[in-house]
Amino acid sequence: MSTENEGNEVPPAPSAPPVPVESPAASADRAAPPAAPDPATPAPAAQSAAPGQEPAAHQAPPHAGTTAGTPPHASGAGAWPPPPPPTVPSYAQGGGSGWGSSYAAQHPEGSKPAGRRGGLIAAVLVAALVAGGVGGGIGFWAADRNDNSTGSTTVSASNTPADLKRDPGTVADIASTALPSVVTIEAQGGNGEGGTGTGFVYDKQGHILTNNHVVASAADGGKLAATFSDGKKYDAEVVGRAEGYDVAVIKLKNPPSNLKPLPLGNSDKVAVGDSTIAIGAPFGLSNTVTTGIVSAKDRPVTSSDGASSKSSYMSALQTDASINPGNSGGPLLDAGGAVIGINSAIKPAESGGGLGGGGGQSGSIGLGFAIPVNQAKYVAQQLIKNGQAVYPVIGASVALQENTGGATISREGASGSQAVTPNGPADKAGLKPGDVITKLDDTVIDSGPTLIGQIWTHKPGDTVEITYKRDGKEHTTDVVLGQRKGES
């Protein structure tokens, strides 16, 4: 069994450019959305981050066992429009600490964005996690105008929007069904700092499925609360966390008796181009619904919350549905309203800039990533039953550098241990230090993180075919995956 070391930086990698989100057909004259750009076009370097403003580049371990595996105002009396009111909504406040606090209040400025490089879209993407406090620089003003001097006559529509019937299967119908089962999570650490994220009802016993990085700050002596779309708020506690998978389960204290779990779909059956619906609390704006499509599958993504030396690895669903800080842990739904993924990370814009042009964490550029629900369900069952996750392993440490043409088994393991665990799965299959793994079954492996993410889509005991190179010659061997319990 291998472990992870600290030291080497996981280099950023390109991914596909954003695809415009779906917009509802309001009339027959509405123009169709623009065509999606070529997904092979390189994107700016990604950043790894915790909730908030522009994050620092993520530092990852050098060796990782595959165990982880106002509008302008007129002046003068009677001017129109009137000046904005003296206050803005509570969610527009950018400073302070505690739940919904901005990242800038939690982290020093001066972080440097990760570097940029070109390459194939199959390369690993280092993404920014999207749990977050309320971003600064958001505000609005509103005024009622009482002007009866006009002689114009208006004609009312026969039905108001609230009276219109939403056909089954429309976005409005799916959203109205799903929203009561989605919660906004407020996590507060012992130091008073925290942020907001999202989760959804997993079962009738009060378990809520979300991301580890959403609740990590409250895991040890902190506070958790979950608020439903009707405004009812419940205290909650952490049941279990899987840092490597970035999955967590929390449970409501004194849950209501009428909980309705969201139906879970089959992420293995998802196809590129399928419609998606994301629900969450971007920048603290709870119960936000956005739409898009599945832009890609099996996208290797490495992410970190910036507060831990360990990283999360996923073979993610990519979507262009707008996902922003605060969406983390929320459901990604298919056109039938079933959960196909947990929204977890985004590729942020290099220039940063929060919602409304403020200085908060950068938002969606159409590159969002979700943990496939089949994997999340498997992990959730382990967390509920045992309080910890079980990771499949090959029993070998691999280097995390990119541009290696595969996952290279390290010459030395963590803390000077052997890179290939004696009598472990890799050892039994004949793998040795220096071997370069290029394929796992039919999946091309271009780096260590890609290998880890692919292994973690399996279960302990599964047999996988490994293709590797040694001394310039290609070989194949079958590996029966072992296991590692917990986050060691």
Side-chain angles (χ1 to χ4, degrees), residues 221-249:
K223 296 180 180 179
L224 278 176
T227 304
F228 285 82
S229 60
D230 60 3
K232 294 181 179 179
K233 188 174 184 177
Y234 298 84
D235 290 334
E237 59 186 353
V238 175
V239 172
R241 302 188 296 128
E243 188 171 8
Y245 290 116
D246 196 20
V247 172
V249 175

PDB file of all heavy atoms in Angstrom, residues 221-249:
ATOM      1  N   GLY A 221     -14.910  20.227  15.664  1.00  0.00           N
ATOM      2  CA  GLY A 221     -15.336  21.255  16.604  1.00  0.00           C
ATOM      3  C   GLY A 221     -16.037  22.443  15.988  1.00  0.00           C
ATOM      4  O   GLY A 221     -16.250  23.450  16.682  1.00  0.00           O
ATOM      5  N   GLY A 222     -16.422  22.360  14.732  1.00  0.00           N
ATOM      6  CA  GLY A 222     -17.117  23.468  14.086  1.00  0.00           C
ATOM      7  C   GLY A 222     -18.622  23.288  14.124  1.00  0.00           C
ATOM      8  O   GLY A 222     -19.167  22.430  14.829  1.00  0.00           O
ATOM      9  N   LYS A 223     -19.300  24.097  13.344  1.00  0.00           N
ATOM     10  CA  LYS A 223     -20.754  24.057  13.283  1.00  0.00           C
ATOM     11  C   LYS A 223     -21.213  23.868  11.842  1.00  0.00           C
ATOM     12  O   LYS A 223     -20.612  24.413  10.916  1.00  0.00           O
ATOM     13  CB  LYS A 223     -21.361  25.353  13.845  1.00  0.00           C
ATOM     14  CG  LYS A 223     -21.084  25.593  15.323  1.00  0.00           C
ATOM     15  CD  LYS A 223     -21.723  26.896  15.779  1.00  0.00           C
ATOM     16  CE  LYS A 223     -21.458  27.170  17.254  1.00  0.00           C
ATOM     17  NZ  LYS A 223     -22.059  28.455  17.686  1.00  0.00           N
ATOM     18  N   LEU A 224     -22.280  23.117  11.692  1.00  0.00           N
ATOM     19  CA  LEU A 224     -22.876  22.886  10.386  1.00  0.00           C
ATOM     20  C   LEU A 224     -24.363  23.159  10.463  1.00  0.00           C
ATOM     21  O   LEU A 224     -25.023  22.811  11.446  1.00  0.00           O
ATOM     22  CB  LEU A 224     -22.672  21.437   9.925  1.00  0.00           C
ATOM     23  CG  LEU A 224     -21.349  21.032   9.282  1.00  0.00           C
ATOM     24  CD1 LEU A 224     -21.367  19.536   9.000  1.00  0.00           C
ATOM     25  CD2 LEU A 224     -21.118  21.806   7.994  1.00  0.00           C
ATOM     26  N   ALA A 225     -24.905  23.754   9.413  1.00  0.00           N
ATOM     27  CA  ALA A 225     -26.346  23.962   9.315  1.00  0.00           C
ATOM     28  C   ALA A 225     -26.752  23.796   7.863  1.00  0.00           C
ATOM     29  O   ALA A 225     -25.989  24.104   6.949  1.00  0.00           O
ATOM     30  CB  ALA A 225     -26.742  25.341   9.823  1.00  0.00           C
ATOM     31  N   ALA A 226     -27.944  23.276   7.667  1.00  0.00           N
ATOM     32  CA  ALA A 226     -28.482  23.067   6.321  1.00  0.00           C
ATOM     33  C   ALA A 226     -29.834  23.752   6.225  1.00  0.00           C
ATOM     34  O   ALA A 226     -30.711  23.534   7.066  1.00  0.00           O
ATOM     35  CB  ALA A 226     -28.626  21.576   6.031  1.00  0.00           C
ATOM     36  N   THR A 227     -29.998  24.581   5.199  1.00  0.00           N
ATOM     37  CA  THR A 227     -31.236  25.327   5.006  1.00  0.00           C
ATOM     38  C   THR A 227     -31.924  24.872   3.729  1.00  0.00           C
ATOM     39  O   THR A 227     -31.313  24.857   2.660  1.00  0.00           O
ATOM     40  CB  THR A 227     -30.962  26.839   4.929  1.00  0.00           C
ATOM     41  OG1 THR A 227     -30.267  27.255   6.108  1.00  0.00           O
ATOM     42  CG2 THR A 227     -32.253  27.620   4.801  1.00  0.00           C
ATOM     43  N   PHE A 228     -33.201  24.507   3.842  1.00  0.00           N
ATOM     44  CA  PHE A 228     -33.970  24.062   2.687  1.00  0.00           C
ATOM     45  C   PHE A 228     -34.541  25.257   1.931  1.00  0.00           C
ATOM     46  O   PHE A 228     -34.505  26.400   2.396  1.00  0.00           O
ATOM     47  CB  PHE A 228     -35.094  23.127   3.137  1.00  0.00           C
ATOM     48  CG  PHE A 228     -34.627  21.748   3.517  1.00  0.00           C
ATOM     49  CD1 PHE A 228     -34.098  21.495   4.785  1.00  0.00           C
ATOM     50  CD2 PHE A 228     -34.692  20.699   2.611  1.00  0.00           C
ATOM     51  CE1 PHE A 228     -33.660  20.233   5.140  1.00  0.00           C
ATOM     52  CE2 PHE A 228     -34.256  19.427   2.946  1.00  0.00           C
ATOM     53  CZ  PHE A 228     -33.738  19.199   4.214  1.00  0.00           C
ATOM     54  N   SER A 229     -35.094  24.972   0.768  1.00  0.00           N
ATOM     55  CA  SER A 229     -35.609  26.047  -0.090  1.00  0.00           C
ATOM     56  C   SER A 229     -36.805  26.771   0.529  1.00  0.00           C
ATOM     57  O   SER A 229     -37.114  27.901   0.146  1.00  0.00           O
ATOM     58  CB  SER A 229     -35.999  25.483  -1.466  1.00  0.00           C
ATOM     59  OG  SER A 229     -36.999  24.485  -1.334  1.00  0.00           O
ATOM     60  N   ASP A 230     -37.480  26.136   1.491  1.00  0.00           N
ATOM     61  CA  ASP A 230     -38.597  26.807   2.166  1.00  0.00           C
ATOM     62  C   ASP A 230     -38.127  27.648   3.338  1.00  0.00           C
ATOM     63  O   ASP A 230     -38.947  28.213   4.079  1.00  0.00           O
ATOM     64  CB  ASP A 230     -39.638  25.783   2.634  1.00  0.00           C
ATOM     65  CG  ASP A 230     -39.075  24.761   3.628  1.00  0.00           C
ATOM     66  OD1 ASP A 230     -37.893  24.877   4.013  1.00  0.00           O
ATOM     67  OD2 ASP A 230     -39.832  23.847   4.025  1.00  0.00           O
ATOM     68  N   GLY A 231     -36.814  27.723   3.555  1.00  0.00           N
ATOM     69  CA  GLY A 231     -36.257  28.553   4.612  1.00  0.00           C
ATOM     70  C   GLY A 231     -36.040  27.842   5.928  1.00  0.00           C
ATOM     71  O   GLY A 231     -35.446  28.415   6.850  1.00  0.00           O
ATOM     72  N   LYS A 232     -36.496  26.606   6.043  1.00  0.00           N
ATOM     73  CA  LYS A 232     -36.316  25.882   7.300  1.00  0.00           C
ATOM     74  C   LYS A 232     -34.861  25.439   7.443  1.00  0.00           C
ATOM     75  O   LYS A 232     -34.274  24.912   6.501  1.00  0.00           O
ATOM     76  CB  LYS A 232     -37.254  24.682   7.366  1.00  0.00           C
ATOM     77  CG  LYS A 232     -38.731  25.085   7.435  1.00  0.00           C
ATOM     78  CD  LYS A 232     -39.645  23.871   7.536  1.00  0.00           C
ATOM     79  CE  LYS A 232     -41.104  24.289   7.616  1.00  0.00           C
ATOM     80  NZ  LYS A 232     -42.025  23.125   7.687  1.00  0.00           N
ATOM     81  N   LYS A 233     -34.346  25.638   8.626  1.00  0.00           N
ATOM     82  CA  LYS A 233     -32.929  25.425   8.866  1.00  0.00           C
ATOM     83  C   LYS A 233     -32.723  24.362   9.947  1.00  0.00           C
ATOM     84  O   LYS A 233     -33.425  24.359  10.962  1.00  0.00           O
ATOM     85  CB  LYS A 233     -32.273  26.745   9.288  1.00  0.00           C
ATOM     86  CG  LYS A 233     -30.766  26.733   9.402  1.00  0.00           C
ATOM     87  CD  LYS A 233     -30.283  28.157   9.669  1.00  0.00           C
ATOM     88  CE  LYS A 233     -28.773  28.252   9.708  1.00  0.00           C
ATOM     89  NZ  LYS A 233     -28.311  29.652   9.897  1.00  0.00           N
ATOM     90  N   TYR A 234     -31.751  23.473   9.718  1.00  0.00           N
ATOM     91  CA  TYR A 234     -31.475  22.385  10.654  1.00  0.00           C
ATOM     92  C   TYR A 234     -29.986  22.309  10.946  1.00  0.00           C
ATOM     93  O   TYR A 234     -29.159  22.464  10.036  1.00  0.00           O
ATOM     94  CB  TYR A 234     -31.936  21.039  10.073  1.00  0.00           C
ATOM     95  CG  TYR A 234     -33.422  20.955   9.803  1.00  0.00           C
ATOM     96  CD1 TYR A 234     -33.947  21.446   8.611  1.00  0.00           C
ATOM     97  CD2 TYR A 234     -34.282  20.395  10.738  1.00  0.00           C
ATOM     98  CE1 TYR A 234     -35.310  21.385   8.353  1.00  0.00           C
ATOM     99  CE2 TYR A 234     -35.653  20.317  10.488  1.00  0.00           C
ATOM    100  CZ  TYR A 234     -36.155  20.818   9.299  1.00  0.00           C
ATOM    101  OH  TYR A 234     -37.506  20.757   9.043  1.00  0.00           O
ATOM    102  N   ASP A 235     -29.679  22.064  12.220  1.00  0.00           N
ATOM    103  CA  ASP A 235     -28.289  21.781  12.560  1.00  0.00           C
ATOM    104  C   ASP A 235     -27.923  20.416  11.996  1.00  0.00           C
ATOM    105  O   ASP A 235     -28.781  19.548  11.812  1.00  0.00           O
ATOM    106  CB  ASP A 235     -28.092  21.794  14.075  1.00  0.00           C
ATOM    107  CG  ASP A 235     -28.215  23.186  14.672  1.00  0.00           C
ATOM    108  OD1 ASP A 235     -27.958  24.160  13.934  1.00  0.00           O
ATOM    109  OD2 ASP A 235     -28.581  23.296  15.857  1.00  0.00           O
ATOM    110  N   ALA A 236     -26.633  20.230  11.721  1.00  0.00           N
ATOM    111  CA  ALA A 236     -26.176  18.969  11.141  1.00  0.00           C
ATOM    112  C   ALA A 236     -24.818  18.599  11.699  1.00  0.00           C
ATOM    113  O   ALA A 236     -24.145  19.412  12.341  1.00  0.00           O
ATOM    114  CB  ALA A 236     -26.110  19.080   9.617  1.00  0.00           C
ATOM    115  N   GLU A 237     -24.433  17.347  11.473  1.00  0.00           N
ATOM    116  CA  GLU A 237     -23.136  16.863  11.922  1.00  0.00           C
ATOM    117  C   GLU A 237     -22.519  16.012  10.829  1.00  0.00           C
ATOM    118  O   GLU A 237     -23.227  15.442   9.997  1.00  0.00           O
ATOM    119  CB  GLU A 237     -23.289  16.049  13.203  1.00  0.00           C
ATOM    120  CG  GLU A 237     -24.191  14.840  13.060  1.00  0.00           C
ATOM    121  CD  GLU A 237     -24.442  14.127  14.379  1.00  0.00           C
ATOM    122  OE1 GLU A 237     -23.798  14.513  15.376  1.00  0.00           O
ATOM    123  OE2 GLU A 237     -25.276  13.200  14.410  1.00  0.00           O
ATOM    124  N   VAL A 238     -21.184  15.912  10.832  1.00  0.00           N
ATOM    125  CA  VAL A 238     -20.468  15.131   9.839  1.00  0.00           C
ATOM    126  C   VAL A 238     -20.550  13.653  10.205  1.00  0.00           C
ATOM    127  O   VAL A 238     -20.237  13.260  11.328  1.00  0.00           O
ATOM    128  CB  VAL A 238     -18.994  15.567   9.728  1.00  0.00           C
ATOM    129  CG1 VAL A 238     -18.242  14.661   8.773  1.00  0.00           C
ATOM    130  CG2 VAL A 238     -18.903  17.023   9.267  1.00  0.00           C
ATOM    131  N   VAL A 239     -20.966  12.837   9.238  1.00  0.00           N
ATOM    132  CA  VAL A 239     -20.990  11.389   9.418  1.00  0.00           C
ATOM    133  C   VAL A 239     -19.670  10.775   8.960  1.00  0.00           C
ATOM    134  O   VAL A 239     -19.112   9.905   9.617  1.00  0.00           O
ATOM    135  CB  VAL A 239     -22.175  10.775   8.636  1.00  0.00           C
ATOM    136  CG1 VAL A 239     -22.106   9.252   8.657  1.00  0.00           C
ATOM    137  CG2 VAL A 239     -23.492  11.258   9.203  1.00  0.00           C
ATOM    138  N   GLY A 240     -19.169  11.228   7.825  1.00  0.00           N
ATOM    139  CA  GLY A 240     -17.904  10.715   7.305  1.00  0.00           C
ATOM    140  C   GLY A 240     -17.423  11.546   6.144  1.00  0.00           C
ATOM    141  O   GLY A 240     -18.222  12.178   5.445  1.00  0.00           O
ATOM    142  N   ARG A 241     -16.096  11.545   5.947  1.00  0.00           N
ATOM    143  CA  ARG A 241     -15.501  12.331   4.864  1.00  0.00           C
ATOM    144  C   ARG A 241     -14.476  11.481   4.135  1.00  0.00           C
ATOM    145  O   ARG A 241     -13.739  10.707   4.752  1.00  0.00           O
ATOM    146  CB  ARG A 241     -14.797  13.583   5.411  1.00  0.00           C
ATOM    147  CG  ARG A 241     -15.676  14.508   6.209  1.00  0.00           C
ATOM    148  CD  ARG A 241     -14.957  15.810   6.557  1.00  0.00           C
ATOM    149  NE  ARG A 241     -13.806  15.595   7.429  1.00  0.00           N
ATOM    150  CZ  ARG A 241     -12.582  16.045   7.195  1.00  0.00           C
ATOM    151  NH1 ARG A 241     -12.310  16.708   6.075  1.00  0.00           N
ATOM    152  NH2 ARG A 241     -11.605  15.817   8.049  1.00  0.00           N
ATOM    153  N   ALA A 242     -14.431  11.618   2.835  1.00  0.00           N
ATOM    154  CA  ALA A 242     -13.420  10.954   2.008  1.00  0.00           C
ATOM    155  C   ALA A 242     -12.692  12.040   1.234  1.00  0.00           C
ATOM    156  O   ALA A 242     -13.177  12.525   0.208  1.00  0.00           O
ATOM    157  CB  ALA A 242     -14.062   9.951   1.063  1.00  0.00           C
ATOM    158  N   GLU A 243     -11.535  12.419   1.741  1.00  0.00           N
ATOM    159  CA  GLU A 243     -10.802  13.546   1.160  1.00  0.00           C
ATOM    160  C   GLU A 243     -10.338  13.250  -0.260  1.00  0.00           C
ATOM    161  O   GLU A 243     -10.390  14.117  -1.125  1.00  0.00           O
ATOM    162  CB  GLU A 243      -9.607  13.889   2.052  1.00  0.00           C
ATOM    163  CG  GLU A 243      -8.885  15.165   1.640  1.00  0.00           C
ATOM    164  CD  GLU A 243      -7.855  15.583   2.671  1.00  0.00           C
ATOM    165  OE1 GLU A 243      -7.602  14.816   3.622  1.00  0.00           O
ATOM    166  OE2 GLU A 243      -7.292  16.678   2.519  1.00  0.00           O
ATOM    167  N   GLY A 244      -9.869  12.028  -0.493  1.00  0.00           N
ATOM    168  CA  GLY A 244      -9.378  11.692  -1.824  1.00  0.00           C
ATOM    169  C   GLY A 244     -10.459  11.725  -2.880  1.00  0.00           C
ATOM    170  O   GLY A 244     -10.229  12.151  -4.009  1.00  0.00           O
ATOM    171  N   TYR A 245     -11.657  11.280  -2.525  1.00  0.00           N
ATOM    172  CA  TYR A 245     -12.783  11.310  -3.457  1.00  0.00           C
ATOM    173  C   TYR A 245     -13.484  12.667  -3.456  1.00  0.00           C
ATOM    174  O   TYR A 245     -14.288  12.955  -4.341  1.00  0.00           O
ATOM    175  CB  TYR A 245     -13.822  10.261  -3.064  1.00  0.00           C
ATOM    176  CG  TYR A 245     -13.425   8.824  -3.269  1.00  0.00           C
ATOM    177  CD1 TYR A 245     -13.302   7.951  -2.198  1.00  0.00           C
ATOM    178  CD2 TYR A 245     -13.205   8.315  -4.547  1.00  0.00           C
ATOM    179  CE1 TYR A 245     -12.971   6.607  -2.373  1.00  0.00           C
ATOM    180  CE2 TYR A 245     -12.867   6.984  -4.739  1.00  0.00           C
ATOM    181  CZ  TYR A 245     -12.755   6.136  -3.650  1.00  0.00           C
ATOM    182  OH  TYR A 245     -12.426   4.810  -3.849  1.00  0.00           O
ATOM    183  N   ASP A 246     -13.236  13.494  -2.437  1.00  0.00           N
ATOM    184  CA  ASP A 246     -13.931  14.765  -2.203  1.00  0.00           C
ATOM    185  C   ASP A 246     -15.434  14.541  -2.034  1.00  0.00           C
ATOM    186  O   ASP A 246     -16.256  15.267  -2.598  1.00  0.00           O
ATOM    187  CB  ASP A 246     -13.655  15.777  -3.323  1.00  0.00           C
ATOM    188  CG  ASP A 246     -14.037  17.204  -2.913  1.00  0.00           C
ATOM    189  OD1 ASP A 246     -14.145  17.447  -1.694  1.00  0.00           O
ATOM    190  OD2 ASP A 246     -14.231  18.057  -3.805  1.00  0.00           O
ATOM    191  N   VAL A 247     -15.773  13.541  -1.257  1.00  0.00           N
ATOM    192  CA  VAL A 247     -17.169  13.234  -0.953  1.00  0.00           C
ATOM    193  C   VAL A 247     -17.347  13.245   0.553  1.00  0.00           C
ATOM    194  O   VAL A 247     -16.461  12.796   1.296  1.00  0.00           O
ATOM    195  CB  VAL A 247     -17.576  11.858  -1.522  1.00  0.00           C
ATOM    196  CG1 VAL A 247     -18.968  11.447  -1.041  1.00  0.00           C
ATOM    197  CG2 VAL A 247     -17.536  11.883  -3.047  1.00  0.00           C
ATOM    198  N   ALA A 248     -18.474  13.756   1.020  1.00  0.00           N
ATOM    199  CA  ALA A 248     -18.782  13.745   2.448  1.00  0.00           C
ATOM    200  C   ALA A 248     -20.270  13.497   2.638  1.00  0.00           C
ATOM    201  O   ALA A 248     -21.092  13.815   1.765  1.00  0.00           O
ATOM    202  CB  ALA A 248     -18.372  15.065   3.108  1.00  0.00           C
ATOM    203  N   VAL A 249     -20.593  12.933   3.784  1.00  0.00           N
ATOM    204  CA  VAL A 249     -21.987  12.742   4.184  1.00  0.00           C
ATOM    205  C   VAL A 249     -22.181  13.433   5.528  1.00  0.00           C
ATOM    206  O   VAL A 249     -21.388  13.224   6.463  1.00  0.00           O
ATOM    207  CB  VAL A 249     -22.352  11.251   4.306  1.00  0.00           C
ATOM    208  CG1 VAL A 249     -23.771  11.097   4.847  1.00  0.00           C
ATOM    209  CG2 VAL A 249     -22.225  10.555   2.960  1.00  0.00           C
TER     210      VAL A 249
END
